[in-house]
Amino acid sequence: MHTQIDPESDKVYPQKRRVTVEILTKDGKAYSQRRDGFKGEPEWPLGRKAIAAKFMSLASGTIGEERAQKVVDFISRLEEKQSIQELGSLLSGKKPSR
């Protein structure tokens, strides 16, 4: 694998976040694709369901699926909460102090 800065992509930064991927196979075939913008960036924001799914996929292996789902549920009702202490406890695994 080899990476390098593409001068054409560098010229349009920061107005566009561009990436070009080129794959050269052992038999000499070349494949290339360029992309401007990615899901999750300001120009292409993720919806709440996609953000929750991404969080679950990343956090479940660390804090467990049950706690990760509790975090998602807590955040979905954040406006109703008086304190975020419970959120810290869910993320750290420590019981909230009373």
Side-chain angles (χ1 to χ4, degrees), residues 6-24:
D6 175 20
E8 293 301 313
S9 296
D10 208 31
K11 285 180 189 176
V12 298
Y13 181 81
Q15 290 78 22
K16 290 185 182 181
R17 290 168 201 81
R18 176 181 290 166
V19 67
T20 303
V21 175
E22 295 177 346
I23 298 173
L24 303 173

Side-chain angles (χ1 to χ4, degrees), residues 17 38-46:
R17 290 168 201 81
F38 303 91
K39 288 183 181 179
E41 291 191 351
E43 302 83 15
W44 194 359
L46 294 174

Side-chain angles (χ1 to χ4, degrees), residues 57-97:
S57 73
L58 296 171
S60 293
T62 303
I63 64 173
E65 190 171 337
E66 183 179 340
R67 272 186 30 220
Q69 186 60 56
K70 286 181 180 181
V71 169
V72 170
D73 295 342
F74 183 94
I75 291 174
S76 71
R77 297 185 318 277
L78 195 57
E79 293 83 10
E80 304 166 10
K81 303 296 182 178
Q82 298 296 316
S83 168
I84 62 167
Q85 186 175 5
E86 181 185 348
L87 178 60
S89 298
L90 286 169
L91 293 170
S92 70
K94 296 178 182 174
K95 294 187 179 193
S97 58

